[in-house]
Amino acid sequence: MIRRHPLGSFFLLAYGLSWLLWTPYVLSAGVWHVLPLTFPVVLGDDELFGLLPGAYLGPLAAAFLVTARTGGTAGLRRWRARLTRWRTPARWYVFALLGIPASLIAATFVLPGAIADAQGPPLIALVAYPPMLLVQILTTGLAEEPGWRDFALPRLQRAYGPLPGSVILGVLWSGWHLPLFLTGWALGHDAATLVLFFLVGVLLSIVITWVFNRTGQSLPVAALVHVSNNNALSVLWPAMFPDLPGRHILTASVIAYGVLAGVLLVVTRGRLGCPEAAGQAPAELGLSPRPG
């Protein structure tokens, strides 16, 4: 089955492994109080030890297993090559490290009350930003992006094209987080928050696809966009807008990435920097090409 349907197998394994390992945390004494389990508290909460094993043994492990099964040593070599493709023009690192946070902060000023509430980032937030970015790279970036962008994105692009492939990946990437909405990880537990979260996932997926393609499929830069987003919203944003509701984080993200995605789609005519034509190698990827 893995050889015939590698992409479907990847998503099945990524979801299954992560959700299986997240279940004890969701049911633990600190969350739903079903099981008499507790997890060590690190950096103020127990999410690191409760969620990280499932994150690592989801997309990362699924990508490795399916690549090894379908591509053997050569496939693993190609997969690993993108993981270490650091050499790319400095402007892409500037975009990831500075452009992403700047876009999110700028978009927040559109929201009601943001200008009156805004304040300069306190020194403690600026000092915490670099080490917390490193933590994000070693956790979120390393656990997720070798699967989502390194394994799944090239296959989805070749089968369906860059824009439909990005949308499909954005929806599935967002859906992978669903069990976390049963925990304190989520910014809210209602339908509106869930819709905003999925919308952010799709729009950010489009932006990351463009970065991935334009950097010659550099996973480090693509992952840096992802973790820079997370770090800006968890460290800088609350410090600069302390009185705004937490859900405004998602609203500001929709504005920022909606504008970026819209501009990129117009400028690239929907190609998002992808040099390949949709529909290539569908049999190899275990998918059917889009009509036409």
Side-chain angles (χ1 to χ4, degrees):
M1 187 187 76
I2 290 176
R3 287 180 173 174
R4 291 181 60 189
H5 305 285
L7 197 51
S9 299
F10 162 75
F11 283 112
L12 183 63
L13 284 169
Y15 270 64
L17 291 171
S18 291
W19 288 19
L20 179 65
L21 290 171
W22 283 340
T23 299
Y25 176 70
V26 172
L27 300 179
S28 69
V31 185
W32 277 70
H33 312 287
V34 175
L35 298 177
L37 297 174
T38 58
F39 292 83
V41 175
V42 178
L43 299 176
D45 58 50
D46 58 0
E47 290 181 359
L48 186 65
F49 280 92
L51 301 180
L52 196 58
Y56 268 110
L57 291 177
L60 176 60
F64 176 83
L65 291 171
V66 176
T67 301
R69 181 62 176 167
T70 59
T73 303
L76 287 173
R77 190 181 302 113
R78 290 191 296 269
W79 179 65
R80 188 171 60 247
R82 288 190 293 266
L83 291 175
T84 57
R85 196 165 289 166
W86 296 96
R87 293 185 178 181
T88 190
R91 64 179 179 273
W92 295 107
Y93 289 98
V94 173
F95 173 77
L97 291 172
L98 300 180
I100 291 297
S103 299
L104 293 167
I105 298 302
T108 305
F109 285 109
V110 178
L111 303 178
I115 296 177
D117 181 56
Q119 62 183 38
L123 180 60
I124 188 171
L126 295 177
V127 171
Y129 195 85
M132 290 305 296
L133 181 66
L134 179 60
V135 171
Q136 286 280 353
I137 291 171
L138 296 177
T139 54
T140 300
L142 187 58
E144 294 188 35
E145 290 307 325
W148 306 134
R149 245 57 64 169
D150 196 346
F151 180 89
L153 180 57
R155 289 164 170 78
L156 285 169
Q157 285 196 120
R158 285 185 296 201
Y160 296 108
L163 178 56
S166 298
V167 172
I168 293 170
L169 181 56
V171 171
L172 292 172
W173 175 29
S174 301
W176 174 76
H177 294 82
L178 281 175
L180 305 186
F181 280 83
L182 301 174
T183 74
W185 176 91
L187 292 170
H189 302 88
D190 57 349
T193 301
L194 198 60
V195 169
L196 284 173
F197 182 80
F198 270 76
L199 188 54
V200 172
V202 170
L203 294 171
L204 181 54
S205 179
I206 292 172
V207 174
I208 297 179
T209 294
W210 173 70
V211 171
F212 183 74
N213 289 332
R214 292 287 290 151
T215 57
Q217 298 190 339
S218 169
L219 191 77
V221 181
L224 201 56
V225 172
H226 181 178
V227 301
S228 185
N229 166 82
N230 290 16
N231 204 45
L233 294 178
S234 61
V235 178
L236 282 184
W237 198 95
M240 295 183 65
F241 305 99
D243 295 328
L244 289 184
R247 187 188 292 173
H248 278 17
I249 288 177
L250 296 175
T251 307
S253 300
V254 168
I255 296 171
Y257 297 129
V259 170
L260 279 173
V263 170
L264 292 174
L265 289 173
V266 171
V267 171
T268 68
R269 299 181 181 180
R271 297 303 302 162
L272 297 174
C274 181
E276 298 175 347
Q280 287 186 331
E284 173 193 343
L285 304 177
L287 294 166
S288 298
R290 63 178 184 178

